Amino acid sequence: MTLSTNSGYFPETVRLPAGGPPMPPGIGGAVGGARRFNTLDPLRVFRQNLRLLLFSGVVGVVLGVGIWFLLKQTYSLYRSEAMLTVNARITNPLLLPGAGSGQQRMEYVEAQMMSVAERIKWQDVADQTLRRPAVRDTAWFRKFDDNLYKAREALYNNLTARPIRGSTQVYLAMTGLEEKDMPVILDAVLGVYENMIKSEANTEGVSFRTMISQELTEADRELRRLTEQIEAFLSEHNLTDLEGKNTQAAIEFQQLVQQSSQLLMAFEATRASYEGMLQTMQTYAGGAGSPEELWQIESMPQIAQRNEQIRAMRERREVMLERFGERHRQVQQLDAYMAAIEQERDIEIDRLLREQQEVKLQQARKAMMQYQAQFEAMQPKLEEVTAQLQDMSSKLQRYALMEKELDRATTRRDSADDRLRYQRMLEQRPDAVEVRVVSRATNPELYFPKPLIVIPAVTFLTLLGVAGVVMLRELIDQRVRTPMDVSMLPDCELLGVLPDAGEDPSGNGDGKLEGVVQAYPTGLMAESFRQVRGALLTRIDRRGYKTLMLVGAQAEAGVSSVLSNLAVSMATSGRRVLVMDLNFRRPAQHRMFGVPSQPGLIEVLSGAAELEEAIIRLEDPVLDVLPVGDTKHATSELFDSASFRAVLSRVEGQYDIVLLDAPPALVTSDSAHLAREVDAIALVVRAMREKRGMISRMFSQFEGLRAEVLGVIVNGVRSSAGGYFRKSYEQFYRYRQAEARPNNRRRVASKETAPTTKN
């Protein structure tokens, strides 16, 4: 190495670090400004503020009980409930209840439910309700001072009407402060609505009956006219006895006309039917029946009625399955009843099939023989009445047209009569009313406030508010609390973590960091310093550095204590270590190692003492200490002198590592001067005291200087601050307790036989 005797700035490229080329200025990298907000660790924040959150929960419960009690005394809402049911419109009074297309019926009912829920809150219903004496006598109505507009608006806002999904019912409720008045008002609303729908139904029924009666009168008038016209036609053509069967000629003429056109066709049809039945019986042997016979039997009233019952029960079963499930008792009863009806229907079908086949076969044989005899007998008579048929043909055609018109008039009159009769039957059915009241207004119940809602809600809001304040405080807190806060800074490397000495479970209960490695070599603090030592030596050896300066941002960061313990830890590892105290404003190394403060570095730099005289050799631990000396006339310019550079050059050749205790970087300018002369810097940060912005400022302060900033050592991390360290501390202590005592003695013996450095 080359030494310079010139005063002033010493170029960085002159003093080379041992074992490597010169490092360019600012190799440690500039650290940008700290983030404005912190990255949260929710589990750590929860553990750290667990007591506060528990207390907040208790306060929230108490506050919720108080608010609930206050609301109960000042603003208690009561609710009375009722229920309406909506039925599908009945168009055929002969249908069973619930019969009809299920999908169409449900769509109609759903539309009616929506209409009922909206209409019951119409203005006309409200006006009629407010005119009822029972409503006017309530305290609820008197508070409006006969202001119908306000009363109507309050009724609209406090009355709830909504359809219940998946059912045919409409839910009604009246809510208000007056407990006894709610069922009275709700019953009045139900009464008004019932009267309204009954009145509309009666009006509609009277109108429909009047219309049908008019149609019936017109049909009777048309029927009388046609009857008179037919009688006049028969009288005019001397055909009066044709209808009355008074003359044998008319009877024979009618029979011949009908039989002559049908007899031959009937005979052939009967024979074909007979042969077809014989073939069918041979094809479907065993009484199974042909598809036509089965279809005819299915059309019979007794079978059709059972099929209709089965279909209605199946639709009812689908509805019950949606509501109750397949294992419900009513569903199982319905299945059993439906199976019984199906079995009864099958038995009846078999009986009717056998009877029908026998009867048809006999009838076909008999009819075929009759038609054959009639056909043979009619042959002579056909020639006789041919002339008469030609004469009566035209008259009968006209008469047939008149009969058709009479039949149409009769059908019209019968249809109107049936509709009038059906309408009367329909109005008498109990399920003809589309909207019915299922349950009247119930006794009022407390609707608000409910303790199971208010107390948990207030408790939740209280916890949420406290948690929000805690999270916001954590977000804006810029202090270095955990190693994670250091890792958030860009280009900032974490060298190690030193827990608070007071939390060392291995015996250092006094909370002092000084001499903890030597006093408790197997404790948690000593192990933490070994980890920091390993990180530092790895970087120093790789780069070939010799001088390492420890510096903090402000006072009370624990730099002197950290340096002394690191020195002891490095010395026990076999390194030749020199501790140089450069903090002439507040020197501490002589006190920590128990050596005289003079002569020291200041005397060496001023020429009052030799370097060998100022360095003090220690035997336990085996390391050397260079105290600061007399600080009365010391200034920071001493570190920018050629003498100081010469001292550094000499000690670098004699020791493996030189540790320099420097003043705080943000308090004095000494650290900036020293950064131009040393190889590396390690920043010491006190947890829960210094902010991330200070670390950024220190990095910026050392940017462009010779020394490389290796990283940050976080000192004094408490388990409560991190939330995870206490368990790690306890696990380490239990692990250390498992070690054998002879191993500890061998470790102490190896420390005593470590090599020493001679002056």
Side-chain angles (χ1 to χ4, degrees):
M1 297 183 184
T2 305
L3 296 178
S4 175
T5 57
N6 298 328
S7 60
Y9 179 74
F10 188 72
E12 298 177 5
T13 57
V14 175
R15 297 182 61 250
L16 299 177
M23 301 299 295
I27 194 171
V31 180
R35 298 178 185 176
R36 184 172 182 178
F37 293 102
N38 194 3
T39 301
L40 285 181
D41 185 352
L43 185 57
R44 178 188 62 79
V45 175
F46 173 76
R47 291 181 177 178
Q48 183 177 352
N49 299 275
L50 180 59
R51 293 184 179 179
L52 176 61
L53 293 176
L54 293 176
F55 178 75
S56 302
V58 175
V59 172
V61 172
V62 175
L63 185 62
V65 173
I67 293 177
W68 170 78
F69 182 78
L70 180 63
L71 290 174
K72 190 174 185 298
Q73 298 297 323
T74 59
Y75 193 75
S76 295
L77 293 178
Y78 296 90
R79 169 168 285 190
S80 179
E81 301 174 342
M83 200 74 69
L84 300 175
T85 184
V86 179
N87 300 321
R89 181 182 293 272
I90 304 298
T91 57
N92 187 355
L94 301 180
L95 289 177
L96 295 175
S101 177
Q103 182 65 25
Q104 295 179 358
R105 184 172 181 271
M106 287 305 300
E107 291 178 356
Y108 176 82
V109 169
E110 290 177 357
Q112 284 295 100
M113 291 168 61
M114 295 295 297
S115 176
V116 169
E118 293 178 359
R119 188 175 181 184
I120 204 168
K121 299 183 70 175
W122 281 5
Q123 181 176 346
D124 54 349
V125 178
D127 291 341
Q128 295 183 37
T129 302
L130 296 176
R131 284 196 293 267
R132 291 205 168 191
V135 176
R136 288 181 171 270
D137 291 340
T138 60
W140 176 86
F141 182 81
R142 289 195 296 269
K143 70 181 181 180
F144 299 108
D145 297 330
D146 292 333
N147 190 330
L148 294 180
Y149 176 78
K150 292 184 178 179
R152 186 191 309 124
E153 185 179 3
L155 180 62
Y156 179 84
N157 294 330
N158 297 332
L159 180 63
T160 302
R162 67 172 184 270
I164 301 177
R165 293 181 61 87
S167 68
T168 60
Q169 295 180 341
V170 178
Y171 170 80
L172 298 179
M174 184 67 189
T175 307
L177 298 173
E178 297 76 9
E179 179 179 3
K180 298 181 180 180
D181 297 342
M182 295 303 103
V184 176
I185 299 172
L186 187 57
D187 275 333
V189 172
L190 291 173
V192 169
Y193 187 72
E194 279 185 306
N195 294 336
M196 183 178 297
I197 59 177
K198 288 180 180 178
S199 176
E200 292 177 354
N202 292 333
T203 302
E204 183 180 355
V206 170
S207 176
F208 191 69
R209 288 196 305 272
T210 302
M211 181 184 65
I212 297 176
S213 298
Q214 292 177 356
E215 185 177 357
L216 182 61
T217 302
E218 293 178 359
D220 287 337
R221 188 183 300 113
E222 180 70 13
L223 186 62
R224 285 194 299 269
R225 184 186 67 81
L226 292 173
T227 302
E228 293 174 357
Q229 185 178 358
I230 291 174
E231 291 177 354
F233 175 78
L234 293 176
S235 177
E236 179 182 358
H237 297 282
N238 196 18
L239 298 175
T240 306
D241 296 336
L242 184 62
E243 293 291 339
K245 297 183 180 181
N246 294 324
T247 62
Q248 186 66 29
I251 295 175
E252 290 179 354
F253 176 78
Q254 183 180 9
Q255 291 177 351
L256 289 174
V257 170
Q258 294 177 354
Q259 292 176 2
S260 62
S261 61
Q262 298 178 2
L263 200 57
L264 184 59
M265 296 177 58
F267 175 78
E268 296 295 336
T270 304
R271 186 175 63 181
S273 176
Y274 178 78
E275 294 175 353
M277 283 189 293
L278 288 177
Q279 185 178 1
T280 301
M281 292 181 63
Q282 294 175 0
T283 303
Y284 297 96
S290 65
E292 292 79 6
E293 291 175 339
L294 293 176
W295 179 82
Q296 292 176 1
I297 292 175
E298 291 286 343
S299 302
M300 292 183 179
Q302 58 268 39
I303 303 302
Q305 183 179 5
R306 288 182 174 86
N307 289 334
E308 184 66 20
Q309 290 180 351
I310 293 172
R311 188 189 58 78
M313 284 188 290
R314 286 175 179 172
E315 292 181 355
R316 183 180 176 187
R317 184 178 184 273
E318 291 178 358
V319 176
M320 294 176 66
L321 280 178
E322 293 179 359
R323 297 184 59 186
F324 305 117
E326 192 170 2
R327 297 186 178 181
H328 196 270
R329 179 176 58 83
Q330 295 184 4
V331 177
Q332 295 178 353
Q333 291 178 355
L334 183 61
D335 291 341
Y337 183 60
M338 185 167 58
I341 293 178
E342 290 177 350
Q343 184 178 6
E344 181 182 358
R345 181 198 62 184
D346 295 339
I347 295 173
E348 184 68 15
I349 289 174
D350 294 339
R351 185 184 66 80
L352 292 175
L353 181 63
R354 289 192 299 271
E355 292 180 357
Q356 187 181 44
Q357 290 176 348
E358 294 176 358
V359 170
K360 282 184 177 181
L361 191 61
Q362 294 177 3
Q363 289 178 351
R365 185 184 300 108
K366 182 178 180 181
M368 185 177 63
M369 295 176 64
Q370 290 178 354
Y371 283 132
Q372 185 178 4
Q374 291 177 5
F375 179 76
E376 294 176 353
M378 281 295 300
Q379 295 300 320
K381 295 181 180 180
L382 286 176
E383 297 178 357
E384 181 180 352
V385 297
T386 300
Q388 296 179 3
L389 288 176
Q390 293 177 353
D391 181 50
M392 295 293 297
S393 177
S394 61
K395 297 178 180 180
L396 289 177
Q397 288 179 358
R398 184 177 178 184
Y399 178 76
L401 292 175
M402 297 172 65
E403 285 287 341
K404 288 182 179 180
E405 292 181 0
L406 182 64
D407 290 340
R408 284 196 295 267
T410 303
T411 303
R412 179 184 176 188
R413 193 267 316 268
D414 294 342
S415 176
D417 186 62
D418 290 340
R419 281 187 290 168
L420 184 60
R421 179 168 53 87
Y422 282 1
Q423 178 63 26
R424 291 170 179 164
M425 293 173 59
L426 185 63
E427 293 176 358
Q428 295 176 358
R429 286 183 60 135
D431 57 348
V433 181
E434 295 187 19
V435 182
R436 293 186 297 107
V437 178
V438 178
S439 62
R440 292 286 175 180
T442 60
N443 294 327
E445 296 181 354
L446 183 64
Y447 177 71
F448 178 83
K450 293 184 178 180
L452 295 180
I453 297 178
V454 175
I455 296 176
V458 174
T459 304
F460 174 75
L461 292 177
T462 304
L463 286 172
L464 184 63
V466 173
V469 172
V470 170
M471 291 298 180
L472 182 61
R473 184 188 64 184
E474 293 289 331
L475 285 172
I476 64 177
D477 191 358
Q478 294 294 309
R479 294 180 301 173
V480 176
R481 298 162 297 174
T482 65
M484 185 184 299
D485 297 331
V486 176
S487 62
M488 291 168 51
L489 297 173
D491 300 330
C492 182
E493 187 173 359
L494 181 65
L495 296 175
V497 179
L498 299 177
D500 188 270
E503 294 190 352
D504 187 356
S506 57
N508 184 22
D510 54 2
K512 293 183 179 180
L513 189 60
E514 301 176 4
V516 68
V517 173
Q518 186 175 6
Y520 305 98
T522 61
L524 172 64
M525 296 303 301
E527 182 62 29
S528 300
F529 275 105
R530 292 189 190 98
Q531 295 177 1
V532 176
R533 177 194 70 189
L536 286 172
L537 292 179
T538 300
R539 291 162 176 77
I540 291 174
D541 293 342
R542 185 169 59 246
R543 294 171 175 82
Y545 295 153
K546 287 296 187 72
T547 54
L548 173 65
M549 180 176 68
L550 270 64
V551 62
Q554 294 179 331
E556 306 299 332
V559 176
S560 299
S561 300
V562 172
L563 186 142
S564 61
N565 284 286
L566 279 176
V568 174
S569 181
M570 290 181 180
T572 56
S573 67
R575 299 294 180 108
R576 293 174 299 171
V577 181
L578 173 64
V579 176
M580 293 181 63
D581 194 349
L582 305 183
N583 190 355
F584 60 83
R585 304 176 188 274
R586 190 181 292 181
Q589 295 301 327
H590 67 282
R591 175 176 52 81
M592 293 183 180
F593 287 104
V595 298
S597 62
Q598 299 178 18
L601 178 62
I602 296 177
E603 283 76 13
V604 174
L605 296 179
S606 63
E610 295 294 332
L611 180 60
E612 290 76 6
E613 298 175 0
I615 294 177
I616 302 174
R617 175 76 53 82
L618 298 180
E619 298 298 334
D620 188 16
V622 182
L623 56 83
D624 294 347
V625 179
L626 179 59
V628 69
D630 189 3
T631 60
K632 294 181 180 179
H633 304 289
T635 61
S636 60
E637 285 74 11
L638 291 174
F639 302 139
D640 199 15
S641 63
S643 301
F644 179 70
R645 298 188 193 99
V647 170
L648 284 181
S649 298
R650 290 183 59 185
V651 296
E652 284 178 355
Q654 298 176 5
Y655 296 93
D656 297 329
I657 182 69
V658 179
L659 300 177
L660 296 87
D661 186 359
L666 302 183
V667 177
T668 67
S669 62
D670 300 349
S671 299
H673 290 289
L674 292 171
R676 298 187 182 98
E677 310 299 334
V678 299
D679 297 332
I681 298 175
L683 305 181
V684 180
V685 177
R686 186 75 178 186
M688 301 304 294
R689 290 189 57 184
E690 299 176 357
K691 298 181 178 180
R692 297 194 299 273
M694 294 182 179
I695 303 176
S696 300
R697 288 174 57 189
M698 283 196 296
F699 272 89
S700 299
Q701 182 174 337
F702 295 132
E703 182 181 2
L705 300 180
R706 178 178 184 273
E708 177 187 359
V709 180
L710 299 180
V712 177
I713 302 172
V714 183
N715 182 28
V717 177
R718 299 188 63 85
S719 59
S720 59
Y724 306 104
F725 294 106
R726 183 175 297 276
K727 290 184 178 181
S728 300
Y729 298 167
E730 295 174 354
Q731 291 176 1
F732 171 79
Y733 180 59
R734 289 193 296 267
Y735 180 77
R736 295 298 296 176
Q737 281 183 328
E739 295 183 355
R741 188 178 299 274
N743 293 335
N744 294 335
R745 285 199 296 267
R746 286 195 297 270
R747 187 179 297 106
V748 173
S750 63
K751 181 181 67 173
E752 293 175 352
T753 58
T756 59
T757 303
K758 297 182 180 181
N759 293 334

